[in-house]
Amino acid sequence: MPQGMQVWDASGNLIMDTNTPSGVILGVHSFSGGAAGTGGSVVIPELALGNPFHVLRGSWFVDPEITISGTTISWTFSSYVPSAITYELIYGYF
């Protein structure tokens, strides 16, 4: 038998359901800009616990491409980004 809690508002709309998966933020990884074609990666074993996600904080004219493969998050710069530009990669899973 399923367990959990559901809450409805006065109009009968479901506003909370504890059976709905919510995201877990595992951490933040900071990195700086670089030359076109360069990048980096970080291995986060806990990403295997669910469906991984990322959010990139920081901005330049062209932000790096971010990919997730298994437990590895990688980034690649398609054009030069000055090293003074710092990004924060927030990652977790659902």
Side-chain angles (χ1 to χ4, degrees), residues 24-30 41-50 52-54 67-75 89-93:
V24 175
I25 295 176
L26 294 171
V28 178
H29 181 80
S30 297
S41 63
V42 61
V43 176
I44 312 295
E46 295 85 358
L47 290 177
L49 297 174
F53 72 87
H54 76 276
T67 58
I68 300 176
S69 177
T71 60
T72 302
I73 304 176
S74 303
W75 58 93
L89 183 64
I90 303 163
Y91 55 85
Y93 66 88

Side-chain angles (χ1 to χ4, degrees), residues 12-78:
N13 300 307
L14 181 63
I15 59 172
M16 186 181 84
D17 185 347
T18 59
N19 294 306
T20 301
S22 59
V24 175
I25 295 176
L26 294 171
V28 178
H29 181 80
S30 297
F31 62 94
S32 298
T38 65
S41 63
V42 61
V43 176
I44 312 295
E46 295 85 358
L47 290 177
L49 297 174
N51 297 318
F53 72 87
H54 76 276
V55 176
L56 185 65
R57 285 189 51 191
S59 184
W60 187 244
F61 297 108
V62 177
D63 288 332
E65 178 183 346
I66 308 292
T67 58
I68 300 176
S69 177
T71 60
T72 302
I73 304 176
S74 303
W75 58 93
T76 305
F77 296 102
S78 62

Side-chain angles (χ1 to χ4, degrees), residues 7-15:
V7 178
W8 289 267
D9 65 14
S11 300
N13 300 307
L14 181 63
I15 59 172

